[in-house]
């Protein structure tokens, strides 16, 4: 929020959404939203006070009893309508994502498609909430399990997937019967208001889905609010840790997904062209601003030189430009500050002993927050470019002699989000899948984001909490179990018995 703004053309105010309507902020605090392709400010977003967060929570609280009591068939019907509306409006939301985030339109459409998969999964909520039933567990007694919603739950989301990551949260949360307060990233907040209007149009009652815009003040108010039962967070590791520790210390259930440093191992027997295509796509897609981006290639033995040559051949062909231009393959970074931070890794690489093979600072469009793809060789543990999550279009290559050294690098890394191996050897791939310390593993697949009927989540510093997000674990996260032991009066078996209940 420190950037200087030069004569903004049209700055749109961006407000909260509480109880089914837009609500302008009263805090007197707001922050700029930029079009990263031009560098111009396009919006000014309200930053909530704790009282405004409370208003949203109270709206969600009031909406909860009726929403949880709605029949499963009606909730399913609503989800089918939501699914249809998102599908019909894909292009509109994609443009909104490109305008504030900067990612190219095709990538924005991909984001919407992956989020839509989660909504589709939630259309099957009656099946997902089925419990177990044991007839005659004891004589005349039946036992059954049910799953019930938690109440008001909150989601705090990052800038890099302004539509999809909130969908990972609100879709299963609402399908399970909870009501929701979303605190989106203040860098690209408009997608969340688009979602709010769409849910209203679908017929979701007012107060079931609320949005509070804000920064740390709003996050802290969410984390400590006594009426919020659970918090889902996706963002960087230091904030994920803080969110997890604060939310759980106030008795909330919490899943907090953090940052990543995803390694892609390439063995000498791999199809080098396929590995190079994968590395370029996974490192530079969305300008590297994906938590599942490949930021580090680990080239084993003889794979290194041909792989680097193949990556270098491909880099100049990546078209960098305004995401709204259909010919662009890579857009700008989200803010000027972030662009400069990413560029500093390229600047500092030679001083740390790495080689800059391709310098993405050269030839990048001057307007907006652009960098072109960079490629670093001889990146080693201990260097900043190796240790930090760069979150930009900078791919590092580490050369190692053996498969064991490569896997050790992955397993010793503090993060454990995604990882991939490129090989033609099924036995080695299986050994990799068996032993590697990461939550999502790709075998000849560079970005192994699970489909919606599995769950998404990393290990180690990439996830705090014990439930992954969306899929079956998402349903578990947003519900709690209850087991009912039931007997209907049968005068023939009724008697006083002060002993501890036993099965008979
Ligand atoms: P961020 O951690 O800066 O922000 C995430 C959210 O936390 C935002 O809503 C922000 O307003 C809030 N926040 C920021 N600073 C805070 C503070 N000091 N106290 C309380 N709240 C604060 O992350 P970002 O830059 O928006 O997103 C990029 C990060 O998210 C990367 O590290 C990326 O790897 C990670 N990410 C992870 C996943 C995953 O699934 N593991 C997915 C997407 C993004």
């Amino acid at each position: 929020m420190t950037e200087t703004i030069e004569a903004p053309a049209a700055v749109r105010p961006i407000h909260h959404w509480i109880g089914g309507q837009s609500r302008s902020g009263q805090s007197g605090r707001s922050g700029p939203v930029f079009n990263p392709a031009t560098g111009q400010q396009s919006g000014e977003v309200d930053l909530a006070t704790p009282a405004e967060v409370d208003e949203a929570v109270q709206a969600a609280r009031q909406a909860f009893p009726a929403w949880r009591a709605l029949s499963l068939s009606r909730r399913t019907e609503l989800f089918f309508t939501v699914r249809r509306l998102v599908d019909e409006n894909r292009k509109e939301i994609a443009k909104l994502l490109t305008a504030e985030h900067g990612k190219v339109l095709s990538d924005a459409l991909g984001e919407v498609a992956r989020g839509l998969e989660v909504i589709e999964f939630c259309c099957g909520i009656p099946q997902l909430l089925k419990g177990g039933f044991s007839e005659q567990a004891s004589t005349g007694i039946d036992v059954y399990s049910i799953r019930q919603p938690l109440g008001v739950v909150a989601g705090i989301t990052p800038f890099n997937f302004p539509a999809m990551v909130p969908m990972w949260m609100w879709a299963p949360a609402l399908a399970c019967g909870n009501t929701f307060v979303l605190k989106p990233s203040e860098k690209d907040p408009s997608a969340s208001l688009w979602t709010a209007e769409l849910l209203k149009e679908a017929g979701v009652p007012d107060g079931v889905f609320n949005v509070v815009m804000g920064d740390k003040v709003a996050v802290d108010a969410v984390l400590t609010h006594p009426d919020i039962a659970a918090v889902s967070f996706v963002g960087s590791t230091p904030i994920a840790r803080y969110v997890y520790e604060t939310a759980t210390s106030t008795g909330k259930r919490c899943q907090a997904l953090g940052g990543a440093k995803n390694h892609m191992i390439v063995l000498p027997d791999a199809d080098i062209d396929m590995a190079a295509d994968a590395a370029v796509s996974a490192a530079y897609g969305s300008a590297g601003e994906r938590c599942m981006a490949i930021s580090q290639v680990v080239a084993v033995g003889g794979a290194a030189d041909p792989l680097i040559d193949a990556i270098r051949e491909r880099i100049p062909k990546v078209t960098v430009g305004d995401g709204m231009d259909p010919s662009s393959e890579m857009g700008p970074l989200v803010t000027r500050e972030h662009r400069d931070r990413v560029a500093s890794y390229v600047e500092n690489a030679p001083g740390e002993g790495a080689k800059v093979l391709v310098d993405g600072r050269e030839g990048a469009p001057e307007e907006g927050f652009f960098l072109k793809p960079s490629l670093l060789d001889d990146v080693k543990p201990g260097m900043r470019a190796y240790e930090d999550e760069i979150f930009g279009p900078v791919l590092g290559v580490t050369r190692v002699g053996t498969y064991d050294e490569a896997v050790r690098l992955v397993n010793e890394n503090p993060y454990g989000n995604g990882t991939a191996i490129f090989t033609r050897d099924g036995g080695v791939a299986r050994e990799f899948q068996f032993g590697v310390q990461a939550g999502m593993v790709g075998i000849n697949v560079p970005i192994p984001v699970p489909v919606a009927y599995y769950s998404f989540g990393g290990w180690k510093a990439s996830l705090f909490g014990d439930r992954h997000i969306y899929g079956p674990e998402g349903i578990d996260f947003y519900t709690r179990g209850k087991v009912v032991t039931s007997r209907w009066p049968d005068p023939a078996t009724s008697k006083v018995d002060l002993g501890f209940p036993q099965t008979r």
Side-chain angles (χ1 to χ4, degrees):
M1 300 298 160
T2 52
E3 318 217 6
T4 17
I5 300 129
E6 294 150 19
V11 174
R12 204 167 36 90
I14 303 169
H15 303 309
H16 313 298
W17 180 274
I18 299 176
Q21 43 188 301
S22 172
R23 190 76 67 81
S24 67
Q26 303 301 314
S27 69
R29 290 196 315 126
S30 59
V33 174
F34 292 91
N35 176 349
T38 62
Q40 292 294 308
Q41 187 183 358
S42 59
E44 184 74 21
V45 62
D46 294 338
L47 301 175
T49 59
E52 286 165 325
V53 171
D54 182 55
E55 256 186 76
V57 175
Q58 295 317 323
R61 224 180 119 187
Q62 277 167 25
F64 176 65
W67 179 246
R68 75 158 289 204
L70 203 65
S71 69
L72 283 173
S73 59
R74 178 74 187 118
R75 240 187 272 155
T76 305
E77 202 183 341
L78 280 171
F79 262 81
F80 271 98
T81 310
V82 171
R83 191 225 163 264
R84 178 177 57 74
L85 289 176
V86 174
D87 180 39
E88 285 172 4
N89 293 290
R90 284 170 196 248
K91 287 193 181 146
E92 187 196 325
I93 177 71
K95 275 192 200 151
L96 204 54
L97 300 177
T98 297
E100 290 186 355
H101 175 282
K103 63 178 70 180
V104 297
L105 275 177
S106 55
D107 191 33
L109 281 166
E111 165 172 358
V112 181
R114 292 308 300 262
L116 195 56
E117 284 178 18
V118 174
I119 294 173
E120 286 166 355
F121 175 75
C122 293
C123 289
I125 193 64
Q127 188 67 22
L128 297 166
L129 286 184
K130 269 182 172 174
F133 190 95
S134 301
E135 187 184 46
Q136 197 75 341
S138 186
T139 306
I141 292 188
D142 301 328
V143 179
Y144 50 96
S145 64
I146 49 186
R147 296 206 70 86
Q148 297 190 330
L150 306 176
V152 179
V153 300
I156 301 164
T157 53
F159 80 83
N160 67 325
F161 286 105
M164 180 186 77
V165 168
M167 285 172 187
W168 291 358
M169 301 175 182
W170 64 254
L174 262 54
C176 290
N178 302 281
T179 54
F180 200 83
V181 176
L182 173 64
K183 204 306 282 173
S185 169
E186 63 276 42
K187 293 186 181 118
D188 44 17
S190 295
S192 53
L193 295 178
W194 180 89
T195 303
E197 285 175 16
L198 180 135
L199 291 176
K200 190 175 171 100
E201 186 184 340
V204 172
D206 291 350
V208 170
F209 178 82
N210 306 276
V211 184
V212 277
M213 303 299 179
D215 54 6
K216 180 172 167 51
V217 174
V219 171
D220 286 344
V222 165
L223 299 180
T224 53
H225 199 294
D227 295 329
I228 293 179
V231 175
S232 297
F233 173 89
V234 174
S236 59
T237 287
I239 312 297
R241 184 181 280 118
Y242 168 75
V243 164
Y244 182 76
E245 287 171 356
T246 314
T248 52
S249 76
T250 64
K252 298 181 195 340
R253 189 177 283 194
C254 184
Q255 54 181 183
L257 283 73
K261 189 80 187 180
N262 306 312
H263 291 53
M264 169 174 151
I265 297 178
V266 182
L267 297 185
D269 73 342
D271 180 322
I272 294 295
D273 279 324
M274 185 175 150
D277 285 339
V280 169
S281 313
Y284 306 124
S286 202
E289 291 173 327
R290 291 181 181 140
C291 66
M292 290 291 279
I294 291 295
S295 51
Q296 199 63 36
V297 161
V298 185
V300 179
D305 289 332
L307 180 67
I308 286 171
D309 288 348
I311 293 174
R312 285 181 86 161
E313 203 184 293
R314 284 160 175 75
I315 287 177
K317 297 179 189 150
V318 174
T319 320
V320 178
D322 187 336
M324 294 290 184
D325 179 343
S327 68
S328 299
E329 294 171 293
M330 192 182 112
L333 286 111
V334 69
T335 57
R336 180 176 290 122
E337 195 180 39
H338 185 53
R339 191 265 319 269
D340 294 347
R341 185 181 157 273
V342 171
S344 75
Y345 287 96
V346 183
E347 171 84 26
N348 296 331
E352 295 192 300
K355 289 191 198 109
V356 180
L357 300 184
V358 181
D359 188 337
R361 295 170 299 170
E362 290 168 7
E366 307 239 313
E367 224 192 18
F369 311 139
F370 287 95
L371 272 183
K372 292 179 99 173
S374 294
L375 181 64
L376 311 179
D377 193 5
D378 283 334
V379 176
K380 296 196 174 82
M383 297 178 182
R384 271 186 62 211
Y386 183 85
E387 300 296 336
D388 295 358
E389 180 185 38
I390 300 175
F391 221 57
V394 179
L395 177 62
V397 179
T398 305
R399 295 166 180 254
V400 296
T402 63
Y403 165 80
D404 287 343
E405 282 175 72
V407 175
R408 202 175 312 125
L409 280 179
V410 180
N411 288 350
E412 285 175 357
N413 199 271
Y415 297 106
N417 215 38
T419 186
I421 190 164
F422 278 70
T423 177
R424 287 190 173 98
D425 186 330
V428 176
R430 194 169 182 286
E431 191 183 324
F432 180 68
Q433 158 237 291
F434 186 76
V436 76
Q437 303 279 312
M440 294 169 282
V441 178
I443 296 172
N444 298 312
V445 171
I447 304 192
V449 173
V451 288
Y453 40 98
Y454 286 82
S455 298
F456 180 111
W459 287 14
K460 302 190 276 184
S462 295
L463 175 79
F464 302 88
D466 48 18
R467 285 287 186 285
H468 289 193
I469 206 162
Y470 71 71
E473 295 196 37
I475 302 297
D476 272 1
F477 181 78
Y478 290 120
T479 53
R480 59 188 150 196
K482 195 179 258 182
V483 177
V484 182
T485 303
S486 143
R487 174 170 64 182
W488 288 98
D490 174 358
T493 60
S494 177
K495 64 173 183 171
V496 172
D497 180 355
L498 300 189
F500 194 71
Q502 293 178 36
T503 46
R504 293 182 189 140

